[in-house]
Amino acid sequence: MSELVPTYWACRRLAPIFCHHQRPDLFCPVLATTSRSIQLPTMASRHDRSASKKRRLTRACDMCKRKKIRCDGVEMPGNQCTNCLNSKVHCTHVEVLRNLGTAKGYVESLERRLQKLTQLFKKLLPEVDIDQELDDTEDSIDEENERTTAKDEETSILLSYAVNRTLNFAPQRQRYFGKSNALFLIQAVAAQRAHYLGKHPSLNPSFSLKQGEHWAARPWYNPRHRYPTQEYEFPEEDLLKALIDAYFEHENCFLPLLHRPMFEKALQDQVHYHDEMFGGTVLMVCALGARWVDDRRVFTEGVDMAGWSYFDQISLPPPPDGPVSLGEMQMYCLYITYHQLIPTARTMWIYLGTAFRLIQDAGMHMRSPNPPNAQDELWKRVFWCLMFLDISYASVFGHTPTLNYEMFDIDYPIECDDEYWENDAFAQPKDTPSSISFFVQLMKLMQILSYILRVTYAVRRPLHVFTANRLPEAQILAGFDSSLNEWQAALPDSLRWDPRRREESFFRQSAFLHITMYYVQIQAHRPYIPGPDQKHSVMPSLAICSNAALSCMRIVETQKYRGYIENVHILAYLYPAAMILLLRAWSVPVGDTLPSATQEMKFVQVCLDMFKRCQKRPNAPPAFIFW
């Protein structure tokens, strides 16, 4: 099979020479390629695109194909993949070649014809370097495809700017208008009119409104005038410093919303005294940090919730007349994070929905065309922190995530620690693992969970427009497992689970990641666990869930001597794992080992010990009680 792949690329590289079209995908459907999103041309040079271009690899070997796992045979000596070597079996492609049927002979004839054409070119044009010409042609094809897709996105941005100018929005309060908006038909009409008149269409459209007074903001309409500027009461200086340190040590390490040097610089300049949004952010940082500080000043008389006096000062205002600011969304995110710890945590769902609508209104769910900069990075962190809270909350309480994967294309945060943000350079030392890598891997895992919720836990099956068939359940589950295996294989060394890891921060992050991974696996297979009266299942889901639950509890047992991760999401993920172990324990045949004496029941006790330890803390929120 390995000899068939170069033929595909050679055909694709030669196609433009024999084709009058500029785009090969219009010439041959086989060459058509699609992309989720492509950056604007200004984002990378031609050299960068050529260097980062990925070649298509060969098909998987027989064993990897059956197990639906990644095959690295093309990268290994003798094309013997790692999985086959570990299993001590011969790496073969018999099934792949058998499935080709008559296609193999057709491809071989194409190879012979291509070889003759290459020799003919060298004979007629000996002074031309065919290989170099083909490489340049392929680069031009990729650039043309990029320009075509990027042109559509650039048009959307320009049209949004034009509408914002027409509606007199300030530059810092720009709204986002998606492509489905009817205003975008103006561009098509303008282009058609220019073509009819023999003119060139403008790349920078502008609109004028004859009845502009109907679009102008009314001075009497200000939904926020009923919410006067808040008079905040901040903690004493020594307590304020302790609360901020506790927040960044225990909260921001898992959800890195804030950039600590920028936050501390603004605090040093006393911005929180005259900026309402930053002042609210400081209070929410204090409220979250209060959980980890042993100081009676963080409690209010009659309230057993640490940090309540800071949280209670915040009153989220109604949506503004224009897009929200970064500072307001940071305060929103921290408010939701604390709100999930109080007894009425279910109302957090409403705040999350509002937060995502505000982000969409500001256009911050879309990839930025600008070079990397601190402002865009902080917006990325806001978006992805809210995305984690939304997907995790939806899974725990049985709701639907607010945004699907197809509704945004914002990049993941740059994997660069806060101390290396120098003049927007983002230069993380190569020999220093980034703590932000944890968050990026966590969000990739949450995207898998989001898809599981949509496919497995949907109220009704999705509407199939082009096909009425749904994939078999076994194939769907195999796809979930394959995605989790690929995610785990791509983890950096600093985040792989090692109970003997010395670095405390990476030890806690890797524990958080792997507990979440096993929870996602349980969520994928849990609906297919057979009941007492069922003898067969699509897959051995109970055994898979049991192994995942046991792996979770082994991680918890390791933390017993180094400190538990007292995070409300981790505790929520461990609860179904304990239920799975109880289900497994009571599934033993009657007359065999007593359920109380099984391995599963012993690890249930490990989970209960953790819950009890968390409850003993004087400032543990009620949401920590699961037993």
Side-chain angles (χ1 to χ4, degrees):
M1 182 61 188
S2 59
E3 69 273 8
L4 303 182
V5 177
T7 302
Y8 165 82
W9 284 105
C11 289
R12 183 182 177 189
R13 294 160 67 184
L14 281 174
I17 300 178
F18 307 108
C19 177
H20 296 291
H21 294 288
Q22 293 181 351
R23 292 179 56 187
D25 53 331
L26 301 180
F27 163 68
C28 179
V30 177
L31 304 181
T33 58
T34 58
S35 174
R36 183 179 68 87
S37 59
I38 300 178
Q39 294 181 350
L40 295 178
T42 56
M43 292 295 291
S45 64
R46 174 178 173 178
H47 172 75
D48 295 335
R49 284 193 299 266
S50 177
S52 61
K53 193 162 29 183
K54 294 183 179 179
R55 299 289 184 182
R56 182 177 178 181
L57 299 179
T58 58
R59 296 279 296 273
C61 69
D62 297 338
M63 188 188 76
C64 294
K65 183 180 180 182
R66 287 194 299 270
K67 293 187 175 182
K68 298 184 181 299
I69 58 179
R70 182 179 179 273
C71 181
D72 59 354
V74 70
E75 305 169 1
M76 299 295 292
N79 292 336
Q80 299 290 316
C81 73
T82 305
N83 300 320
C84 291
L85 292 176
N86 293 337
S87 302
K88 298 181 180 180
V89 299
H90 186 59
C91 190
T92 62
H93 292 80
V94 176
E95 295 183 9
V96 175
L97 293 176
R98 183 184 303 155
N99 293 335
L100 288 177
T102 58
K104 182 178 180 182
Y106 176 69
V107 172
E108 290 176 350
S109 66
L110 285 179
E111 286 183 330
R112 291 192 296 268
R113 186 176 180 84
L114 181 62
Q115 186 177 7
K116 292 180 181 179
L117 286 173
T118 304
Q119 294 174 355
L120 180 61
F121 267 102
K122 290 182 178 180
K123 181 178 180 180
L124 297 178
L125 300 172
E127 70 280 1
V128 177
D129 188 347
I130 300 297
D131 293 333
Q132 183 62 39
E133 290 293 330
L134 292 176
D135 288 336
D136 294 342
T137 303
E138 186 178 350
D139 290 340
S140 66
I141 294 172
D142 293 337
E143 290 177 8
E144 179 65 25
N145 290 337
E146 281 197 10
R147 284 194 297 268
T148 301
T149 307
K151 183 179 179 181
D152 295 339
E153 185 61 33
E154 188 175 7
T155 301
S156 300
I157 295 173
L158 291 174
L159 285 169
S160 291
Y161 287 161
V163 174
N164 279 281
R165 286 197 308 270
T166 304
L167 301 181
N168 296 321
F169 285 141
Q172 68 274 16
R173 309 290 283 179
Q174 297 290 316
R175 287 187 181 274
Y176 173 81
F177 294 89
K179 296 178 183 179
S180 63
N181 192 296
L183 291 172
F184 285 83
L185 287 174
I186 297 177
Q187 179 70 2
V189 174
Q192 186 64 34
R193 179 177 180 273
H195 177 75
Y196 179 82
L197 298 176
K199 299 179 180 179
H200 294 287
S202 174
L203 296 178
N204 190 10
S206 60
F207 309 132
S208 61
L209 299 173
K210 291 185 178 180
Q211 298 178 342
E213 67 275 6
H214 296 295
W215 295 85
R218 300 295 194 271
W220 46 265
Y221 179 71
N222 182 6
R224 296 197 169 190
H225 77 279
R226 296 184 298 272
Y227 292 81
T229 302
Q230 299 289 328
E231 295 293 336
Y232 293 140
E233 294 183 8
F234 298 98
E236 295 84 350
E237 288 298 325
D238 63 323
L239 181 58
L240 177 63
K241 184 179 183 306
L243 294 173
I244 292 174
D245 291 340
Y247 166 79
F248 280 99
E249 180 181 355
H250 296 281
E251 299 286 346
N252 207 70
C253 60
F254 296 125
L255 291 183
L257 175 70
L258 302 178
H259 182 267
R260 185 166 189 174
M262 290 184 180
F263 179 84
E264 292 181 340
K265 177 64 168 58
L267 195 68
Q268 183 179 0
D269 295 340
Q270 298 186 348
V271 178
H272 55 296
Y273 286 120
H274 55 81
D275 187 291
E276 182 180 1
M277 296 305 171
F278 184 70
T281 300
V282 171
L283 281 178
M284 290 312 308
V285 166
C286 293
L288 289 168
R291 293 180 46 224
W292 311 99
V293 174
D294 187 12
D295 193 314
R296 296 303 305 174
R297 289 178 292 177
V298 301
F299 290 96
T300 304
E301 185 177 356
V303 179
D304 59 352
M305 187 76 178
W308 180 260
S309 59
Y310 313 127
F311 173 81
D312 196 41
Q313 297 183 52
I314 304 299
S315 178
L316 293 181
D321 57 349
V324 295
S325 64
L326 173 63
E328 186 169 352
M329 290 311 303
Q330 288 176 331
M331 183 181 70
Y332 230 103
C333 187
L334 292 170
Y335 186 92
I336 294 172
T337 304
Y338 186 90
H339 197 276
Q340 66 184 343
L341 305 174
I342 63 179
T344 58
R346 292 180 66 87
T347 58
M348 183 184 67
W349 189 30
I350 309 300
Y351 294 115
L352 278 169
T354 303
F356 275 115
R357 293 297 175 259
L358 293 174
I359 281 184
Q360 286 179 301
D361 186 57
M364 292 306 168
H365 62 301
M366 303 293 291
R367 177 179 297 171
S368 173
N370 303 319
N373 59 85
Q375 188 79 357
D376 286 345
E377 283 303 306
L378 290 176
W379 271 110
K380 288 182 190 177
R381 292 189 177 191
V382 169
F383 177 87
W384 287 111
C385 285
L386 288 172
M387 181 63 71
F388 170 80
L389 294 172
D390 183 57
I391 297 175
S392 180
Y393 180 84
S395 178
V396 170
F397 288 97
H399 293 160
T400 304
T402 305
L403 292 186
N404 295 333
Y405 179 79
E406 299 82 6
M407 300 171 66
F408 61 90
D409 73 342
I410 189 172
D411 293 322
Y412 292 112
I414 296 177
E415 298 182 28
C416 180
D417 292 337
D418 291 356
E419 57 267 28
Y420 302 114
W421 287 24
E422 297 181 1
N423 301 322
D424 295 339
F426 304 103
Q428 178 79 17
K430 294 183 179 180
D431 57 346
T432 304
S434 172
S435 60
I436 304 299
S437 298
F438 155 80
F439 185 60
V440 173
Q441 296 299 326
L442 176 64
M443 292 318 305
K444 292 179 180 179
L445 185 59
M446 298 307 289
Q447 292 305 302
I448 300 176
L449 176 58
S450 177
Y451 188 72
I452 291 173
L453 296 177
R454 289 174 53 199
V455 174
T456 306
Y457 294 92
V459 177
R460 61 178 178 179
R461 294 191 173 182
L463 176 64
H464 297 280
V465 179
F466 300 104
T467 176
N469 297 325
R470 174 184 168 95
L471 291 176
E473 303 299 329
Q475 189 173 347
I476 292 176
L477 289 175
F480 292 155
D481 291 336
S482 178
S483 298
L484 288 173
N485 291 336
E486 291 177 2
W487 174 86
Q488 189 175 18
L491 282 178
D493 293 338
S494 59
L495 296 176
R496 296 186 180 277
W497 174 243
D498 182 3
R500 295 178 296 275
R501 188 181 298 279
R502 295 184 178 181
E503 302 89 348
E504 187 63 26
S505 60
F506 289 119
F507 171 79
R508 292 167 60 82
Q509 286 184 344
S510 62
F512 193 114
L513 271 182
H514 285 78
I515 290 177
T516 306
M517 180 193 70
Y518 293 125
Y519 169 75
V520 172
Q521 191 174 30
I522 290 174
Q523 290 295 86
H525 285 270
R526 184 166 62 89
Y528 303 99
I529 296 177
D533 299 331
Q534 293 178 300
K535 297 182 180 180
H536 302 287
S537 178
V538 177
M539 290 186 69
S541 296
L542 180 57
I544 294 175
C545 290
S546 299
N547 290 334
L550 288 172
S551 299
C552 276
M553 298 310 168
R554 291 189 179 98
I555 296 176
V556 172
E557 190 176 34
T558 304
Q559 295 176 359
K560 180 179 181 179
Y561 306 101
R562 299 182 60 170
Y564 293 118
I565 300 177
E566 298 182 20
N567 182 282
V568 66
H569 297 278
I570 291 298
L571 295 173
Y573 299 161
L574 291 176
Y575 184 75
M579 295 297 103
I580 291 293
L581 293 180
L582 287 174
L583 182 62
R584 183 71 171 183
W586 286 102
S587 299
V588 297
V590 178
D592 288 357
T593 306
L594 292 176
S596 58
T598 59
Q599 178 187 15
E600 287 79 8
M601 195 64 74
K602 295 178 181 178
F603 277 105
V604 169
Q605 189 61 45
V606 170
C607 185
L608 289 176
D609 291 343
M610 177 184 179
F611 289 168
K612 292 177 181 179
R613 177 76 65 85
C614 295
Q615 188 194 7
K616 288 181 179 179
R617 292 188 55 193
N619 55 349
F624 273 4
I625 302 176
F626 289 96
W627 57 279

